[in-house]
PDB file of all heavy atoms in Angstrom:
ATOM      1  N   ILE C   1     104.524 116.466 110.275  1.00 96.00           N
ATOM      2  CA  ILE C   1     104.112 117.668 109.529  1.00 96.00           C
ATOM      3  C   ILE C   1     104.587 117.577 108.089  1.00 96.00           C
ATOM      4  O   ILE C   1     103.849 117.918 107.152  1.00 96.00           O
ATOM      5  CB  ILE C   1     104.667 118.933 110.215  1.00 96.00           C
ATOM      6  CG1 ILE C   1     104.071 119.066 111.616  1.00 96.00           C
ATOM      7  CG2 ILE C   1     104.361 120.173 109.386  1.00 96.00           C
ATOM      8  CD1 ILE C   1     104.740 120.127 112.477  1.00 96.00           C
ATOM      9  N   ARG C   2     105.819 117.091 107.879  1.00 96.00           N
ATOM     10  CA  ARG C   2     106.355 116.997 106.516  1.00 96.00           C
ATOM     11  C   ARG C   2     105.521 116.036 105.666  1.00 96.00           C
ATOM     12  O   ARG C   2     105.229 116.332 104.493  1.00 96.00           O
ATOM     13  CB  ARG C   2     107.810 116.544 106.590  1.00 96.00           C
ATOM     14  CG  ARG C   2     108.587 116.738 105.307  1.00 96.00           C
ATOM     15  CD  ARG C   2     110.051 116.369 105.474  1.00 96.00           C
ATOM     16  NE  ARG C   2     110.816 117.410 106.128  1.00 96.00           N
ATOM     17  CZ  ARG C   2     111.425 117.286 107.312  1.00 96.00           C
ATOM     18  NH1 ARG C   2     111.329 116.158 107.998  1.00 96.00           N
ATOM     19  NH2 ARG C   2     112.114 118.275 107.828  1.00 96.00           N
ATOM     20  N   ARG C   3     105.125 114.912 106.247  1.00 95.00           N
ATOM     21  CA  ARG C   3     104.282 113.971 105.502  1.00 95.00           C
ATOM     22  C   ARG C   3     102.953 114.610 105.132  1.00 95.00           C
ATOM     23  O   ARG C   3     102.448 114.401 104.022  1.00 95.00           O
ATOM     24  CB  ARG C   3     104.041 112.699 106.337  1.00 95.00           C
ATOM     25  CG  ARG C   3     105.205 111.722 106.348  1.00 95.00           C
ATOM     26  CD  ARG C   3     104.764 110.364 106.894  1.00 95.00           C
ATOM     27  NE  ARG C   3     104.255 110.461 108.260  1.00 95.00           N
ATOM     28  CZ  ARG C   3     104.995 110.327 109.349  1.00 95.00           C
ATOM     29  NH1 ARG C   3     106.294 110.093 109.237  1.00 95.00           N
ATOM     30  NH2 ARG C   3     104.452 110.411 110.543  1.00 95.00           N
ATOM     31  N   ALA C   4     102.394 115.388 106.043  1.00 96.00           N
ATOM     32  CA  ALA C   4     101.113 116.045 105.771  1.00 96.00           C
ATOM     33  C   ALA C   4     101.250 117.078 104.647  1.00 96.00           C
ATOM     34  O   ALA C   4     100.366 117.212 103.795  1.00 96.00           O
ATOM     35  CB  ALA C   4     100.595 116.712 107.042  1.00 96.00           C
ATOM     36  N   ILE C   5     102.364 117.804 104.644  1.00 96.00           N
ATOM     37  CA  ILE C   5     102.613 118.788 103.585  1.00 96.00           C
ATOM     38  C   ILE C   5     102.729 118.094 102.237  1.00 96.00           C
ATOM     39  O   ILE C   5     102.100 118.494 101.248  1.00 96.00           O
ATOM     40  CB  ILE C   5     103.896 119.590 103.892  1.00 96.00           C
ATOM     41  CG1 ILE C   5     103.709 120.455 105.135  1.00 96.00           C
ATOM     42  CG2 ILE C   5     104.291 120.461 102.692  1.00 96.00           C
ATOM     43  CD1 ILE C   5     105.012 121.044 105.676  1.00 96.00           C
ATOM     44  N   LEU C   6     103.540 117.033 102.184  1.00 93.00           N
ATOM     45  CA  LEU C   6     103.747 116.327 100.915  1.00 93.00           C
ATOM     46  C   LEU C   6     102.473 115.640 100.445  1.00 93.00           C
ATOM     47  O   LEU C   6     102.201 115.561  99.241  1.00 93.00           O
ATOM     48  CB  LEU C   6     104.879 115.309 101.074  1.00 93.00           C
ATOM     49  CG  LEU C   6     106.260 115.921 101.354  1.00 93.00           C
ATOM     50  CD1 LEU C   6     107.315 114.828 101.540  1.00 93.00           C
ATOM     51  CD2 LEU C   6     106.678 116.866 100.233  1.00 93.00           C
ATOM     52  N   SER C   7     101.659 115.183 101.383  1.00 93.00           N
ATOM     53  CA  SER C   7     100.384 114.580 101.022  1.00 93.00           C
ATOM     54  C   SER C   7      99.464 115.597 100.358  1.00 93.00           C
ATOM     55  O   SER C   7      98.799 115.302  99.358  1.00 93.00           O
ATOM     56  CB  SER C   7      99.714 114.000 102.268  1.00 93.00           C
ATOM     57  OG  SER C   7      98.391 113.587 101.984  1.00 93.00           O
ATOM     58  N   THR C   8      99.453 116.811 100.903  1.00 94.00           N
ATOM     59  CA  THR C   8      98.618 117.871 100.323  1.00 94.00           C
ATOM     60  C   THR C   8      99.092 118.238  98.921  1.00 94.00           C
ATOM     61  O   THR C   8      98.291 118.461  98.010  1.00 94.00           O
ATOM     62  CB  THR C   8      98.622 119.109 101.235  1.00 94.00           C
ATOM     63  OG1 THR C   8      98.000 118.765 102.479  1.00 94.00           O
ATOM     64  CG2 THR C   8      97.873 120.267 100.594  1.00 94.00           C
ATOM     65  N   ILE C   9     100.408 118.268  98.726  1.00 93.00           N
ATOM     66  CA  ILE C   9     100.963 118.636  97.418  1.00 93.00           C
ATOM     67  C   ILE C   9     100.756 117.531  96.399  1.00 93.00           C
ATOM     68  O   ILE C   9     100.348 117.784  95.257  1.00 93.00           O
ATOM     69  CB  ILE C   9     102.462 118.962  97.542  1.00 93.00           C
ATOM     70  CG1 ILE C   9     102.672 120.229  98.371  1.00 93.00           C
ATOM     71  CG2 ILE C   9     103.092 119.128  96.162  1.00 93.00           C
ATOM     72  CD1 ILE C   9     104.132 120.513  98.673  1.00 93.00           C
ATOM     73  N   THR C  10     101.040 116.288  96.802  1.00 90.00           N
ATOM     74  CA  THR C  10     101.121 115.202  95.822  1.00 90.00           C
ATOM     75  C   THR C  10      99.846 114.367  95.697  1.00 90.00           C
ATOM     76  O   THR C  10      99.539 113.876  94.613  1.00 90.00           O
ATOM     77  CB  THR C  10     102.280 114.254  96.180  1.00 90.00           C
ATOM     78  OG1 THR C  10     102.034 113.662  97.458  1.00 90.00           O
ATOM     79  CG2 THR C  10     103.600 115.009  96.235  1.00 90.00           C
ATOM     80  N   GLU C  11      99.100 114.223  96.781  1.00 87.00           N
ATOM     81  CA  GLU C  11      97.910 113.364  96.737  1.00 87.00           C
ATOM     82  C   GLU C  11      96.625 114.185  96.647  1.00 87.00           C
ATOM     83  O   GLU C  11      95.812 113.992  95.749  1.00 87.00           O
ATOM     84  CB  GLU C  11      97.882 112.451  97.965  1.00 87.00           C
ATOM     85  CG  GLU C  11      99.074 111.477  98.005  1.00 87.00           C
ATOM     86  CD  GLU C  11      99.153 110.718  99.309  1.00 87.00           C
ATOM     87  OE1 GLU C  11      98.124 110.627 100.021  1.00 87.00           O
ATOM     88  OE2 GLU C  11     100.250 110.206  99.642  1.00 87.00           O
ATOM     89  N   THR C  12      96.466 115.112  97.577  1.00 86.00           N
ATOM     90  CA  THR C  12      95.287 115.984  97.522  1.00 86.00           C
ATOM     91  C   THR C  12      95.380 116.925  96.325  1.00 86.00           C
ATOM     92  O   THR C  12      94.367 117.329  95.749  1.00 86.00           O
ATOM     93  CB  THR C  12      95.181 116.805  98.826  1.00 86.00           C
ATOM     94  OG1 THR C  12      95.280 115.928  99.944  1.00 86.00           O
ATOM     95  CG2 THR C  12      93.860 117.557  98.890  1.00 86.00           C
ATOM     96  N   ARG C  13      96.633 117.278  95.964  1.00 86.00           N
ATOM     97  CA  ARG C  13      96.917 118.187  94.854  1.00 86.00           C
ATOM     98  C   ARG C  13      96.188 119.524  95.001  1.00 86.00           C
ATOM     99  O   ARG C  13      95.669 120.092  94.031  1.00 86.00           O
ATOM    100  CB  ARG C  13      96.564 117.543  93.503  1.00 86.00           C
ATOM    101  CG  ARG C  13      97.535 116.432  93.118  1.00 86.00           C
ATOM    102  CD  ARG C  13      97.230 115.881  91.734  1.00 86.00           C
ATOM    103  NE  ARG C  13      98.218 114.887  91.353  1.00 86.00           N
ATOM    104  CZ  ARG C  13      99.344 115.166  90.693  1.00 86.00           C
ATOM    105  NH1 ARG C  13      99.601 116.411  90.364  1.00 86.00           N
ATOM    106  NH2 ARG C  13     100.176 114.205  90.373  1.00 86.00           N
ATOM    107  N   LEU C  14      96.143 120.003  96.223  1.00 91.00           N
ATOM    108  CA  LEU C  14      95.621 121.347  96.476  1.00 91.00           C
ATOM    109  C   LEU C  14      96.788 122.321  96.357  1.00 91.00           C
ATOM    110  O   LEU C  14      97.668 122.357  97.220  1.00 91.00           O
ATOM    111  CB  LEU C  14      94.993 121.404  97.876  1.00 91.00           C
ATOM    112  CG  LEU C  14      94.412 122.756  98.296  1.00 91.00           C
ATOM    113  CD1 LEU C  14      93.312 123.209  97.330  1.00 91.00           C
ATOM    114  CD2 LEU C  14      93.848 122.677  99.708  1.00 91.00           C
ATOM    115  N   HIS C  15      96.808 123.081  95.290  1.00 94.00           N
ATOM    116  CA  HIS C  15      97.927 123.963  94.993  1.00 94.00           C
ATOM    117  C   HIS C  15      97.498 125.425  94.983  1.00 94.00           C
ATOM    118  O   HIS C  15      96.382 125.753  94.582  1.00 94.00           O
ATOM    119  CB  HIS C  15      98.522 123.624  93.619  1.00 94.00           C
ATOM    120  CG  HIS C  15      99.172 122.288  93.545  1.00 94.00           C
ATOM    121  ND1 HIS C  15      99.582 121.712  92.360  1.00 94.00           N
ATOM    122  CD2 HIS C  15      99.498 121.386  94.519  1.00 94.00           C
ATOM    123  CE1 HIS C  15     100.131 120.539  92.605  1.00 94.00           C
ATOM    124  NE2 HIS C  15     100.082 120.312  93.903  1.00 94.00           N
ATOM    125  N   THR C  16      98.408 126.280  95.420  1.00 95.00           N
ATOM    126  CA  THR C  16      98.192 127.725  95.317  1.00 95.00           C
ATOM    127  C   THR C  16      98.508 128.187  93.892  1.00 95.00           C
ATOM    128  O   THR C  16      98.996 127.424  93.054  1.00 95.00           O
ATOM    129  CB  THR C  16      99.073 128.470  96.330  1.00 95.00           C
ATOM    130  OG1 THR C  16     100.389 127.904  96.314  1.00 95.00           O
ATOM    131  CG2 THR C  16      98.501 128.360  97.740  1.00 95.00           C
ATOM    132  N   ALA C  17      98.259 129.476  93.643  1.00 93.00           N
ATOM    133  CA  ALA C  17      98.351 130.002  92.276  1.00 93.00           C
ATOM    134  C   ALA C  17      99.750 129.870  91.680  1.00 93.00           C
ATOM    135  O   ALA C  17      99.900 129.675  90.471  1.00 93.00           O
ATOM    136  CB  ALA C  17      97.909 131.461  92.262  1.00 93.00           C
ATOM    137  N   ASP C  18     100.794 129.952  92.515  1.00 92.00           N
ATOM    138  CA  ASP C  18     102.162 129.861  91.990  1.00 92.00           C
ATOM    139  C   ASP C  18     102.458 128.503  91.375  1.00 92.00           C
ATOM    140  O   ASP C  18     103.360 128.378  90.538  1.00 92.00           O
ATOM    141  CB  ASP C  18     103.181 130.170  93.099  1.00 92.00           C
ATOM    142  CG  ASP C  18     103.057 129.213  94.277  1.00 92.00           C
ATOM    143  OD1 ASP C  18     101.928 128.990  94.728  1.00 92.00           O
ATOM    144  OD2 ASP C  18     104.092 128.717  94.744  1.00 92.00           O
ATOM    145  N   LEU C  19     101.685 127.483  91.754  1.00 94.00           N
ATOM    146  CA  LEU C  19     101.857 126.138  91.198  1.00 94.00           C
ATOM    147  C   LEU C  19     100.772 125.815  90.170  1.00 94.00           C
ATOM    148  O   LEU C  19     100.608 124.661  89.784  1.00 94.00           O
ATOM    149  CB  LEU C  19     101.840 125.091  92.315  1.00 94.00           C
ATOM    150  CG  LEU C  19     102.920 125.231  93.389  1.00 94.00           C
ATOM    151  CD1 LEU C  19     102.795 124.114  94.411  1.00 94.00           C
ATOM    152  CD2 LEU C  19     104.314 125.242  92.773  1.00 94.00           C
ATOM    153  N   GLY C  20     100.036 126.846  89.756  1.00 92.00           N
ATOM    154  CA  GLY C  20      98.998 126.653  88.754  1.00 92.00           C
ATOM    155  C   GLY C  20      97.657 126.227  89.311  1.00 92.00           C
ATOM    156  O   GLY C  20      96.747 125.865  88.553  1.00 92.00           O
ATOM    157  N   GLY C  21      97.510 126.278  90.634  1.00 93.00           N
ATOM    158  CA  GLY C  21      96.250 125.876  91.258  1.00 93.00           C
ATOM    159  C   GLY C  21      95.379 127.057  91.631  1.00 93.00           C
ATOM    160  O   GLY C  21      95.691 128.210  91.327  1.00 93.00           O
ATOM    161  N   GLN C  22      94.280 126.761  92.320  1.00 93.00           N
ATOM    162  CA  GLN C  22      93.334 127.796  92.734  1.00 93.00           C
ATOM    163  C   GLN C  22      93.124 127.808  94.247  1.00 93.00           C
ATOM    164  O   GLN C  22      92.265 128.532  94.749  1.00 93.00           O
ATOM    165  CB  GLN C  22      91.991 127.594  92.026  1.00 93.00           C
ATOM    166  CG  GLN C  22      92.093 127.728  90.505  1.00 93.00           C
ATOM    167  CD  GLN C  22      90.749 127.552  89.825  1.00 93.00           C
ATOM    168  OE1 GLN C  22      89.865 126.851  90.335  1.00 93.00           O
ATOM    169  NE2 GLN C  22      90.581 128.178  88.678  1.00 93.00           N
ATOM    170  N   GLY C  23      93.924 127.052  94.970  1.00 94.00           N
ATOM    171  CA  GLY C  23      93.774 126.997  96.417  1.00 94.00           C
ATOM    172  C   GLY C  23      94.300 128.248  97.094  1.00 94.00           C
ATOM    173  O   GLY C  23      95.275 128.853  96.643  1.00 94.00           O
ATOM    174  N   SER C  24      93.672 128.637  98.189  1.00 95.00           N
ATOM    175  CA  SER C  24      94.131 129.783  98.970  1.00 95.00           C
ATOM    176  C   SER C  24      95.144 129.312 100.005  1.00 95.00           C
ATOM    177  O   SER C  24      95.281 128.108 100.268  1.00 95.00           O
ATOM    178  CB  SER C  24      92.964 130.455  99.677  1.00 95.00           C
ATOM    179  OG  SER C  24      92.418 129.591 100.674  1.00 95.00           O
ATOM    180  N   THR C  25      95.828 130.263 100.593  1.00 96.00           N
ATOM    181  CA  THR C  25      96.785 129.932 101.657  1.00 96.00           C
ATOM    182  C   THR C  25      96.083 129.182 102.788  1.00 96.00           C
ATOM    183  O   THR C  25      96.554 128.139 103.249  1.00 96.00           O
ATOM    184  CB  THR C  25      97.425 131.219 102.215  1.00 96.00           C
ATOM    185  OG1 THR C  25      97.984 131.972 101.153  1.00 96.00           O
ATOM    186  CG2 THR C  25      98.500 130.893 103.235  1.00 96.00           C
ATOM    187  N   SER C  26      94.962 129.716 103.224  1.00 96.00           N
ATOM    188  CA  SER C  26      94.259 129.121 104.367  1.00 96.00           C
ATOM    189  C   SER C  26      93.717 127.734 104.024  1.00 96.00           C
ATOM    190  O   SER C  26      93.696 126.839 104.883  1.00 96.00           O
ATOM    191  CB  SER C  26      93.134 130.038 104.840  1.00 96.00           C
ATOM    192  OG  SER C  26      92.273 130.393 103.777  1.00 96.00           O
ATOM    193  N   GLU C  27      93.311 127.519 102.774  1.00 96.00           N
ATOM    194  CA  GLU C  27      92.822 126.199 102.382  1.00 96.00           C
ATOM    195  C   GLU C  27      93.947 125.165 102.394  1.00 96.00           C
ATOM    196  O   GLU C  27      93.739 124.024 102.820  1.00 96.00           O
ATOM    197  CB  GLU C  27      92.191 126.270 100.984  1.00 96.00           C
ATOM    198  CG  GLU C  27      90.837 126.964 100.966  1.00 96.00           C
ATOM    199  CD  GLU C  27      90.328 127.217  99.556  1.00 96.00           C
ATOM    200  OE1 GLU C  27      91.149 127.226  98.606  1.00 96.00           O
ATOM    201  OE2 GLU C  27      89.108 127.437  99.414  1.00 96.00           O
ATOM    202  N   VAL C  28      95.124 125.571 101.927  1.00 96.00           N
ATOM    203  CA  VAL C  28      96.269 124.656 101.945  1.00 96.00           C
ATOM    204  C   VAL C  28      96.654 124.324 103.384  1.00 96.00           C
ATOM    205  O   VAL C  28      96.891 123.162 103.724  1.00 96.00           O
ATOM    206  CB  VAL C  28      97.457 125.269 101.176  1.00 96.00           C
ATOM    207  CG1 VAL C  28      98.714 124.424 101.368  1.00 96.00           C
ATOM    208  CG2 VAL C  28      97.131 125.385  99.691  1.00 96.00           C
ATOM    209  N   VAL C  29      96.705 125.348 104.238  1.00 96.00           N
ATOM    210  CA  VAL C  29      97.048 125.121 105.639  1.00 96.00           C
ATOM    211  C   VAL C  29      96.025 124.204 106.302  1.00 96.00           C
ATOM    212  O   VAL C  29      96.377 123.280 107.044  1.00 96.00           O
ATOM    213  CB  VAL C  29      97.160 126.458 106.399  1.00 96.00           C
ATOM    214  CG1 VAL C  29      97.281 126.222 107.900  1.00 96.00           C
ATOM    215  CG2 VAL C  29      98.349 127.261 105.895  1.00 96.00           C
ATOM    216  N   GLN C  30      94.739 124.424 106.018  1.00 96.00           N
ATOM    217  CA  GLN C  30      93.693 123.584 106.605  1.00 96.00           C
ATOM    218  C   GLN C  30      93.825 122.134 106.129  1.00 96.00           C
ATOM    219  O   GLN C  30      93.650 121.188 106.906  1.00 96.00           O
ATOM    220  CB  GLN C  30      92.308 124.112 106.240  1.00 96.00           C
ATOM    221  CG  GLN C  30      91.165 123.404 106.946  1.00 96.00           C
ATOM    222  CD  GLN C  30      91.257 123.493 108.460  1.00 96.00           C
ATOM    223  OE1 GLN C  30      91.332 124.583 109.021  1.00 96.00           O
ATOM    224  NE2 GLN C  30      91.274 122.341 109.141  1.00 96.00           N
ATOM    225  N   SER C  31      94.160 121.950 104.859  1.00 95.00           N
ATOM    226  CA  SER C  31      94.347 120.599 104.330  1.00 95.00           C
ATOM    227  C   SER C  31      95.510 119.903 105.037  1.00 95.00           C
ATOM    228  O   SER C  31      95.420 118.707 105.369  1.00 95.00           O
ATOM    229  CB  SER C  31      94.620 120.669 102.827  1.00 95.00           C
ATOM    230  OG  SER C  31      94.919 119.394 102.308  1.00 95.00           O
ATOM    231  N   ILE C  32      96.591 120.648 105.280  1.00 96.00           N
ATOM    232  CA  ILE C  32      97.747 120.081 105.979  1.00 96.00           C
ATOM    233  C   ILE C  32      97.365 119.732 107.421  1.00 96.00           C
ATOM    234  O   ILE C  32      97.728 118.673 107.934  1.00 96.00           O
ATOM    235  CB  ILE C  32      98.929 121.062 105.936  1.00 96.00           C
ATOM    236  CG1 ILE C  32      99.433 121.204 104.492  1.00 96.00           C
ATOM    237  CG2 ILE C  32     100.062 120.619 106.861  1.00 96.00           C
ATOM    238  CD1 ILE C  32     100.382 122.354 104.278  1.00 96.00           C
ATOM    239  N   MET C  33      96.608 120.626 108.067  1.00 95.00           N
ATOM    240  CA  MET C  33      96.157 120.346 109.435  1.00 95.00           C
ATOM    241  C   MET C  33      95.282 119.099 109.477  1.00 95.00           C
ATOM    242  O   MET C  33      95.406 118.267 110.384  1.00 95.00           O
ATOM    243  CB  MET C  33      95.398 121.557 109.981  1.00 95.00           C
ATOM    244  CG  MET C  33      96.276 122.762 110.266  1.00 95.00           C
ATOM    245  SD  MET C  33      95.322 124.248 110.649  1.00 95.00           S
ATOM    246  CE  MET C  33      94.433 123.738 112.107  1.00 95.00           C
ATOM    247  N   ASN C  34      94.395 118.955 108.475  1.00 94.00           N
ATOM    248  CA  ASN C  34      93.537 117.761 108.429  1.00 94.00           C
ATOM    249  C   ASN C  34      94.379 116.498 108.272  1.00 94.00           C
ATOM    250  O   ASN C  34      94.097 115.467 108.891  1.00 94.00           O
ATOM    251  CB  ASN C  34      92.546 117.867 107.268  1.00 94.00           C
ATOM    252  CG  ASN C  34      91.514 118.969 107.482  1.00 94.00           C
ATOM    253  OD1 ASN C  34      91.317 119.439 108.599  1.00 94.00           O
ATOM    254  ND2 ASN C  34      90.875 119.402 106.404  1.00 94.00           N
ATOM    255  N   ALA C  35      95.423 116.586 107.446  1.00 93.00           N
ATOM    256  CA  ALA C  35      96.289 115.425 107.238  1.00 93.00           C
ATOM    257  C   ALA C  35      97.044 115.073 108.509  1.00 93.00           C
ATOM    258  O   ALA C  35      97.228 113.892 108.833  1.00 93.00           O
ATOM    259  CB  ALA C  35      97.260 115.712 106.093  1.00 93.00           C
ATOM    260  N   VAL C  36      97.477 116.092 109.264  1.00 94.00           N
ATOM    261  CA  VAL C  36      98.156 115.853 110.536  1.00 94.00           C
ATOM    262  C   VAL C  36      97.205 115.171 111.510  1.00 94.00           C
ATOM    263  O   VAL C  36      97.554 114.173 112.163  1.00 94.00           O
ATOM    264  CB  VAL C  36      98.685 117.162 111.136  1.00 94.00           C
ATOM    265  CG1 VAL C  36      99.135 116.969 112.579  1.00 94.00           C
ATOM    266  CG2 VAL C  36      99.857 117.702 110.316  1.00 94.00           C
ATOM    267  N   GLN C  37      95.989 115.694 111.604  1.00 91.00           N
ATOM    268  CA  GLN C  37      95.007 115.144 112.552  1.00 91.00           C
ATOM    269  C   GLN C  37      94.606 113.722 112.215  1.00 91.00           C
ATOM    270  O   GLN C  37      94.337 112.909 113.085  1.00 91.00           O
ATOM    271  CB  GLN C  37      93.787 116.063 112.596  1.00 91.00           C
ATOM    272  CG  GLN C  37      94.073 117.408 113.260  1.00 91.00           C
ATOM    273  CD  GLN C  37      92.991 118.443 112.987  1.00 91.00           C
ATOM    274  OE1 GLN C  37      92.042 118.200 112.243  1.00 91.00           O
ATOM    275  NE2 GLN C  37      93.143 119.621 113.590  1.00 91.00           N
ATOM    276  N   SER C  38      94.635 113.397 110.916  1.00 88.00           N
ATOM    277  CA  SER C  38      94.225 112.052 110.504  1.00 88.00           C
ATOM    278  C   SER C  38      95.263 110.998 110.852  1.00 88.00           C
ATOM    279  O   SER C  38      94.957 109.792 110.815  1.00 88.00           O
ATOM    280  CB  SER C  38      93.959 112.019 108.995  1.00 88.00           C
ATOM    281  OG  SER C  38      95.183 112.138 108.277  1.00 88.00           O
ATOM    282  N   THR C  39      96.474 111.450 111.183  1.00 80.00           N
ATOM    283  CA  THR C  39      97.538 110.487 111.506  1.00 80.00           C
ATOM    284  C   THR C  39      97.453 109.992 112.941  1.00 80.00           C
ATOM    285  O   THR C  39      98.179 109.071 113.313  1.00 80.00           O
ATOM    286  CB  THR C  39      98.932 111.098 111.284  1.00 80.00           C
ATOM    287  OG1 THR C  39      99.104 112.213 112.174  1.00 80.00           O
ATOM    288  CG2 THR C  39      99.120 111.549 109.844  1.00 80.00           C
TER     289      THR C  39
END
């Protein structure tokens, strides 16, 4: 799970508004889930 989270932050670069991005909570969670499933 930690690798999937860091992948979303650093590689996919899907960020919520607090980090200057436009991603929603659910979009970030879905991206992390996709990264987990891809492993």
Side-chain angles (χ1 to χ4, degrees):
I1 297 169
R2 195 176 281 117
R3 282 194 300 269
I5 294 168
L6 295 178
S7 171
T8 295
I9 293 173
T10 62
E11 297 172 20
T12 309
R13 289 184 176 269
L14 179 59
H15 293 170
T16 44
D18 59 313
L19 300 181
Q22 297 181 332
S24 67
T25 306
S26 53
E27 287 171 339
V28 171
V29 170
Q30 187 59 56
S31 175
I32 293 167
M33 290 171 61
N34 292 342
V36 168
Q37 290 165 356
S38 70
T39 63

